Amino acid sequence: MRRQLKLWLVVLGLCLGLAGGLAIPLTAHAATSRRVLIVYDAINPTANGQQKLAAVQRILASLNLPTQTERLSDYQAGQLTDKAYQGVVTLNNWPQGRLTNAAFLRDRRQFTGRQLHIGSGLDAQEARQFGARRETLYHSNLSCGTGRIGNSCRSART
């Protein structure tokens, strides 16, 4: 339960960060004409995929950011452009999933607006663009606890 709560807080923080960056420099007219594209790989009912997608949509809607939601398999080449969208959220609901739509990957590389990736499957190009360092952990245990100072978690590799 605590792990799930922490995951939701991370997703909320990322969405608010993306939305804050999108909403601040825009005029009211621009905010109504340029949307945020949410592209998801699949609805994964075993991992509450529908709830994750709905949460991202609600957060962006609460900030008056219009959205368009598209399943990755339905994405058409040329759809993601700087003229049509101010940002894109890539939501990967399958932990083993890979983003396999070549048209989307190509368009996302050329897109200069704000970008957010939620979930696994962060490819090397995306990691470089975000300034992230990818690390694969095998046989890793997550140990969380509460102490006198506060909550903490650490990863213990085996």
Side-chain angles (χ1 to χ4, degrees):
M1 180 70 176
R2 288 179 74 109
R3 184 176 180 201
Q4 203 171 34
L5 177 63
K6 286 182 182 184
L7 175 66
W8 279 109
L9 289 175
V10 168
V11 169
L12 175 67
L14 290 172
C15 288
L16 289 176
L18 171 71
L22 292 172
I24 291 170
L26 297 175
T27 64
H29 178 265
T32 59
S33 62
R34 291 177 61 218
R35 299 166 289 182
V36 175
L37 179 63
I38 302 171
V39 179
Y40 65 96
D41 58 346
I43 297 297
N44 182 355
T46 61
N48 300 318
Q50 183 62 47
Q51 288 95 339
K52 291 176 189 174
L53 178 58
V56 172
Q57 291 169 326
R58 279 193 309 273
I59 290 168
L60 294 175
S62 73
L63 296 165
N64 293 324
L65 292 170
T67 62
Q68 177 179 337
T69 303
E70 192 79 40
R71 187 177 173 120
L72 182 64
S73 60
D74 296 333
Y75 179 85
Q76 300 294 313
Q79 189 174 339
L80 178 61
T81 64
D82 291 327
K83 240 181 180 175
Y85 297 98
Q86 57 180 306
V88 61
V89 177
T90 306
L91 177 60
N92 192 341
N93 278 323
W94 287 99
Q96 302 84 2
R98 294 282 179 235
L99 302 174
T100 56
N101 186 322
F104 174 68
L105 295 174
R106 184 175 44 254
D107 289 350
R108 190 181 62 190
R109 279 188 206 102
Q110 295 173 351
F111 183 68
T112 59
R114 302 277 183 160
Q115 296 186 34
L116 173 65
H117 183 101
I118 301 173
S120 61
L122 184 69
D123 66 29
Q125 185 274 333
E126 224 179 344
R128 277 192 307 276
Q129 183 177 352
F130 293 149
R133 183 176 59 102
R134 294 184 334 151
E135 186 174 334
T136 303
L137 299 176
Y138 298 99
H139 304 288
S140 179
N141 296 319
L142 185 64
S143 173
C144 296
T146 58
R148 292 187 345 201
I149 297 175
N151 297 337
S152 67
C153 293
R154 70 177 197 280
S155 176
R157 296 180 197 173
T158 59

